[in-house]
Amino acid sequence: MAWPGRFDFDGNMRTQVVIIGAGPAGLLLSHLLAADGVESVVLETRSREYVLARIRAGILEHSSVELLTDVGLGERLARESMPHRGIYLHTPEQRTHLDFVDLVGHGIHVYGQTDLTRDLVDARVRGGQQLVYEVTGTALHDIDTARPYVTFVDADGAARRIDADVVVGCDGSFGPSRQAVPDPRTWERTYPYAWLGVLADVAPSTDELIYAWHPDGFAMHSMRSAAVSRLYLQVPPGTDIAEWSDDRIWTALAARLGHGRDGWTLTPGPITEKSVLPMRGFVAAPMRHGRLFLAGDAAHIVPPTGAKGLNLAIADVARLAPALGALLRGDGALAAAYSDTALARVWRCQHFSWWMTTMLHVTDDPFDAQLQLAQLRWVASSEAGARGLAENYTGLPLR
Ligand code: FAS
Ligand code: PHB
């Protein structure tokens, strides 16, 4: 294969930044570095097809959209994303629309992570970033020296080495980078429920997302386009997807989302994908050790209820890219501050995700249910409560 990067005297590759992982964090970081004249090579363990087919997040914060547009990734986003003013909070008592534009001056955009990944992969060729798929055995070396390097086996089975000035772990929650940080501090919370997510070839039954509290469990109606709906159901952790037929899924969604109430109906359709997603929160600190930096899920996981995972990955690399550019030009101040400043936003998002999750997901404790309903009534009736949700859901400024 035609090899990316530059070869040095002993036949090894050489570049400025090695990025491990071609998810949103790794791909966007490579794009931002290229715009700053910094060369990078992205190593990805999966195939191009696998990366492009992954179905995950669906919401972009206002500041994420601004950033992506500013760096030349806004064309398809502007054409195909769905701008939403707000969301609906639904309980058996009432459905309330929270208008984020009225509350905090901006809304959100519905745009699948799959679409964003496609845009990022397409932009890579134009920007000259190097992306190497189907690597195995990725290992980090000498990260606490000024000459770190990464070894791996390429798709042809050849052992490879890339020497660099910096290594960035964007390898998600199960990659090797986090393990390379000695004695990290970690925090973890496993929630006593999971999400069963479905993709269906049917027009959404709502104009904006519905987050529903119900005694049987949480449900959400999202979407990917005018013809594709994305919906979620709270299920017990470890649920076997085989126990949930399409009929059972639609029946539960109809009950929890209020089908037939006040004239609203949920229209079912062919389910094209279904999966069970565990709910957990995780943070690892620091997000830097020597010449290794971590970004995105490699450093933190949030429950998806607050739609923060993808946006946090974007926020991390929006902060990291200029820090690395400055570091490589001899100014290490931003790089030195990266971990602390990134973690401040991580914990704000971790808290908001916890708040949304514990407010909307039922447990077997009837006291919890009363607390949740009281909190939902307050958010639905108080401008201060609604503004607090709106400010966090639409996202804090990136810069
Ligand atoms: P990613 O996990 O996206 O990317 C990491 C990449 O590193 C992967 O491509 C992986 O193959 C690669 N990698 C791993 N080990 C490697 C190695 N040793 N060598 C090379 N490459 C390696 N967030 C939301 O906001 N809303 C949602 O609804 C939502 N749903 C989700 C559903 C699922 C099933 C999952 C797993 C996550 C979901 N998330 C959701 C969170 C998700 O969107 C992440 O926050 C987002 O993908 C983070 O992006 P990255 O940090 O790039 O990590
Ligand atoms: C989605 O559309 O996949 C989605 C939307 C909002 C969330 C989580 C996931 O909080």
Side-chain angles (χ1 to χ4, degrees), residues 69-130:
T69 304
D70 287 351
V71 297
L73 293 165
E75 188 191 339
R76 193 158 80 106
L77 174 59
R79 206 172 54 244
E80 297 183 14
S81 72
M82 293 172 282
H84 282 195
R85 291 184 63 90
I87 62 170
Y88 294 96
L89 287 182
H90 178 92
T91 72
E93 299 164 357
Q94 61 181 356
R95 178 176 293 184
T96 308
H97 185 251
L98 302 186
D99 190 308
F100 297 159
V101 178
D102 287 346
L103 288 161
V104 294
H106 47 252
I108 52 169
H109 279 65
V110 177
Y111 194 62
Q113 180 170 325
T114 311
D115 294 312
L116 176 59
T117 302
R118 156 77 61 195
D119 297 343
L120 286 162
V121 168
D122 290 349
R124 174 186 61 78
V125 176
R126 292 197 304 271
Q129 298 101 49
Q130 309 291 354

Side-chain angles (χ1 to χ4, degrees), residues 56-59 195 209 211 220 222 224 230 232 304-307 393:
R56 287 190 171 170
I59 302 298
W195 275 10
L209 273 65
Y211 282 77
M220 188 217 292
S222 183
R224 286 295 178 270
R230 177 71 167 160
Y232 297 95
T305 327
Y393 195 99

